[in-house]
Amino acid sequence: MNIKNIIMITAVIIVGLAAALFITRTDKPSVEDAAGNAEEKTVKGPHGGRLLSEGDFKIEVTIYEKGVPPQFRVYAFEKENKVNPEEVKLTIELHRLGGKVDKILFGKEGAYLRGDKVVEEPHSFDVKIFTEYRGKSSKWEYSQVEGRVEMPPEVAAAAGIEIKTAGPASIRTTLDLPGEIVLNKNKVAHIVPRLSGVVTEVRKNLGDKVRRGEVIAVIDSRELAEAKREYIESVHRLHFAQSSFVREEGLWKKKISPEEDYLASKHNLEEAEISKQVALQKLVSLGISSGDIKALSVEPEGAVIQHEVRVPFSNKTLTRYEIRAPLDGVVIEKNISLGEAIKEDFDMFVVADLSTVWGEITVYAKDLGTVRVGQRVNVEAAAVGLKSTGKVSYIGPLVGKQTRSAKAHVDIPNPKGEWRPGLFVTVEVIREEKTAPIAVSVEAIQTFRDWSVVFVRYGNLFEARPLELGRSDGQHVEILSGLSPGEKYASHNSFVIKAEIGKAGATHDH
């Protein structure tokens, strides 16, 4: 047995002894008559209430709560005969812990006097009773203890009881929905060659990181050679058409050749320019870089009236086609191997940017009115201990026929790659977040009789305080009634106090 366990056991024993001493001292409430003489024993009246007497005048004090909120009902007697309630003026003061005093006035109802206020729980207080009957005043005092135990601060501390102050707290109401981590489909690329050929190089494998523009594979393609040949020839034809136009324009201006020859050469020049543009766009659509295109042939420059000498294209392998990554990411699929013949629409690689992923949320039809785009959510993958926050970026417009649910997405930053697609998650949707004027920690709430209570501390005493509870977020719970701001209560280990009250055998006796 370690030292911590010994200390806890000792603390519980001390708490029990303290409670026993307190109950011994308070278990026999005193009844004082007008002369101040104390009576040790509580005398019961015919209605089961506390019977108080001064000479021949007696009153029986009961708290009635069958089918109605607790109320005082007081019966008056002279000797053994009932007294008309209208002849008795009665006031009761209930002095509670913390200095609160409930003053209750009485009026006739049937054969008894009924209090004008509800007797609030707990029924634990010092009672002062004032009566006037036929010109004579009487006063009684007694204590009624319920749900109360004495525990000095050092004993409470040894038992691990923590004290907090009731006050405002921010409380969130939430909705938990199931979900799964999936790829951010806005950052996924399926890489196809766009022309047929044979794979000659494979530079990346599954799991490899790639950079945008990086060569990841090379194929040998006759279709590419044909496209490059068309471009080279278009540049050559354009150069020839330019030269012809310059010559014909000069002859026409000198009135040597007819205008018809000049217009024909101009038309041929325009057609050559169109053909060159078509051939160029074909290469661009295949992903050929501008640098590689320039290496094929040097186009004529300057005004068409200037004669430009065509430079022959570089001696490059016309069939070599480099496949480049369209974005930064990771190779998550690879479907090629060396020497493989592939078609233009073959899915060679799938590259995904995993710096962000989606939490795909299943939103049931009944919750669609709760989830909104832009709403803040908490995402948790309990299996791997990951948590993140984000906002709902998308809610699907359709509800599945089988699942009766829609899909929603939340963007999750994933700089370390810890959020792996396929992980199941719980998504906590924050419905609203408001400040409760009075709140206590959830762990402080205990069940006592049929109440939800906290144990309020006054000096060395702890007393059960019945509460009306409001919203809760799992950490704090809103208090609608039963507690005032600034009151001290037991938060952690409050069950120890409940256990000690149970040992003391506190009753709800009126």
Side-chain angles (χ1 to χ4, degrees):
M1 183 177 294
N2 56 37
I3 295 176
K4 184 176 180 181
N5 288 338
I6 293 173
I7 293 173
M8 288 297 294
I9 292 171
T10 303
V12 172
I13 292 172
I14 294 172
V15 170
L17 291 173
L21 289 172
F22 177 72
I23 294 300
T24 300
R25 192 178 67 205
T26 60
D27 190 45
K28 297 179 180 179
S30 63
V31 179
E32 296 184 357
D33 57 21
N37 297 319
E39 299 178 304
E40 291 294 330
K41 186 177 181 181
T42 301
V43 180
K44 297 291 186 178
H47 301 90
R50 185 184 295 264
L51 189 63
L52 306 173
S53 61
E54 182 181 340
D56 293 335
F57 182 64
K58 301 175 183 180
I59 60 172
E60 181 185 2
V61 182
T62 69
I63 298 180
Y64 187 84
E65 49 188 331
K66 293 181 180 180
V68 296
Q71 58 183 232
F72 274 116
R73 292 185 178 184
V74 179
Y75 300 84
F77 304 90
E78 187 171 12
K79 294 183 179 180
E80 302 303 324
N81 300 317
K82 290 183 179 181
V83 172
N84 183 355
E86 292 182 337
E87 299 183 42
V88 181
K89 183 178 180 182
L90 173 64
T91 302
I92 292 182
E93 291 181 357
L94 305 179
H95 294 255
R96 299 179 182 270
L97 291 179
K100 181 183 177 183
V101 178
D102 298 334
K103 187 175 182 180
I104 302 176
L105 304 179
F106 287 79
K108 178 181 181 298
E109 185 170 292
Y112 54 83
L113 290 161
R114 184 174 67 84
D116 64 348
K117 293 181 181 176
V118 172
V119 185
E120 296 180 0
E121 301 283 5
H123 295 166
S124 185
F125 28 63
D126 293 328
V127 183
K128 294 184 179 181
I129 302 176
F130 307 90
T131 65
E132 289 186 14
Y133 174 62
R134 294 183 178 178
K136 184 178 179 180
S137 298
S138 300
K139 176 183 176 183
W140 291 273
E141 295 184 10
Y142 63 88
S143 294
Q144 181 169 310
V145 175
E146 178 185 12
R148 186 187 297 182
V149 70
E150 186 173 24
M151 190 179 298
E154 60 274 14
V155 176
I161 297 170
E162 295 180 5
I163 306 299
K164 290 186 178 180
T165 303
S170 179
I171 294 180
R172 300 178 303 178
T173 55
T174 61
L175 171 67
D176 288 344
L177 296 172
E180 181 182 357
I181 299 301
V182 298
L183 295 171
N184 182 340
K185 294 182 181 179
N186 295 329
K187 296 186 177 183
V188 177
H190 290 257
I191 301 174
V192 297
R194 289 180 277 192
L195 43 75
S196 60
V198 176
V199 179
T200 58
E201 293 183 39
V202 180
R203 299 187 182 182
K204 294 296 179 180
N205 294 305
L206 278 175
D208 288 349
K209 292 183 178 181
V210 299
R211 304 291 297 176
R212 181 178 181 180
E214 182 180 5
V215 176
I216 59 176
V218 178
I219 65 173
D220 191 39
S221 173
R222 287 181 295 178
E223 290 181 21
L224 178 63
E226 182 65 22
K228 289 181 177 179
R229 181 191 64 78
E230 289 179 5
Y231 173 72
I232 294 169
E233 289 184 351
S234 71
V235 173
H236 176 71
R237 286 194 297 270
L238 177 62
H239 172 73
F240 179 77
Q242 247 186 324
S243 299
S244 297
F245 174 74
V246 171
R247 182 176 61 84
E248 290 297 331
E249 185 182 37
L251 294 174
W252 175 65
K253 288 182 177 179
K254 293 177 181 179
K255 301 185 183 296
I256 296 175
S257 63
E259 183 179 9
E260 183 180 354
D261 292 344
Y262 162 71
L263 294 175
S265 66
K266 183 177 180 182
H267 175 71
N268 291 337
L269 176 61
E270 292 171 347
E271 285 189 337
E273 178 64 33
I274 292 171
S275 296
K276 192 271 295 185
Q277 289 294 335
V278 171
L280 174 63
Q281 290 303 315
K282 188 174 182 179
L283 293 179
V284 171
S285 69
L286 294 174
I288 308 302
S289 68
S290 59
D292 289 343
I293 292 174
K294 287 182 179 180
L296 294 175
S297 180
V298 176
E299 297 182 30
E301 296 179 352
V304 293
I305 61 173
Q306 298 174 353
H307 183 74
E308 296 290 340
V309 178
R310 174 179 174 273
V311 179
F313 63 87
S314 300
N315 186 21
K316 296 283 186 179
T317 303
L318 300 182
T319 58
R320 178 183 173 85
Y321 183 38
E322 295 179 340
I323 308 299
R324 298 178 182 271
L327 49 74
D328 296 345
V330 176
V331 177
I332 62 172
E333 283 188 32
K334 174 197 168 191
N335 303 310
I336 62 169
S337 57
L338 282 174
E340 184 177 3
I342 58 176
K343 294 184 177 181
E344 64 277 1
D345 59 351
F346 183 73
D347 206 352
M348 304 171 64
F349 295 94
V350 178
V351 176
D353 181 356
L354 299 178
S355 61
T356 62
V357 292
W358 283 347
E360 188 174 70
I361 313 168
T362 299
V363 185
Y364 301 110
K366 64 182 179 63
D367 298 320
L368 285 172
T370 300
V371 182
R372 303 181 302 277
V373 172
Q375 198 166 22
R376 189 157 62 92
V377 299
N378 296 320
V379 183
E380 180 178 6
V384 292
L386 293 176
K387 294 182 179 180
S388 184
T389 61
K391 292 183 178 180
V392 177
S393 59
Y394 165 82
I395 300 176
L398 304 178
V399 174
K401 292 182 179 179
Q402 301 299 325
T403 63
R404 305 311 303 163
S405 64
K407 296 296 183 182
H409 297 156
V410 54
D411 295 330
I412 302 175
N414 190 32
K416 298 181 180 179
E418 297 175 318
W419 292 91
R420 298 175 181 271
L423 281 173
F424 289 110
V425 296
T426 299
V427 181
E428 182 187 63
V429 180
I430 301 172
R431 288 176 169 173
E432 62 176 357
E433 186 169 359
K434 293 184 178 180
T435 298
I438 309 174
V440 299
S441 61
V442 168
E443 64 176 340
I445 303 296
Q446 297 290 334
T447 301
F448 183 76
R449 286 178 50 201
D450 54 351
W451 310 321
S452 294
V453 304
V454 294
F455 295 102
V456 181
R457 188 186 76 176
Y458 296 99
N460 291 346
L461 297 177
F462 285 94
E463 184 176 86
R465 181 70 63 80
L467 306 172
E468 182 183 356
L469 305 180
R471 298 166 298 162
S472 176
D473 61 1
Q475 295 182 346
H476 294 89
V477 59
E478 181 182 20
I479 305 302
L480 301 178
S481 65
L483 201 62
S484 299
E487 289 193 281
K488 305 289 185 181
Y489 68 94
S491 57
H492 185 64
N493 277 359
S494 60
F495 65 88
V496 175
I497 302 171
K498 177 182 176 180
E500 292 307 317
I501 293 175
K503 290 177 185 178
T507 61
H508 190 62
D509 183 19
H510 304 319

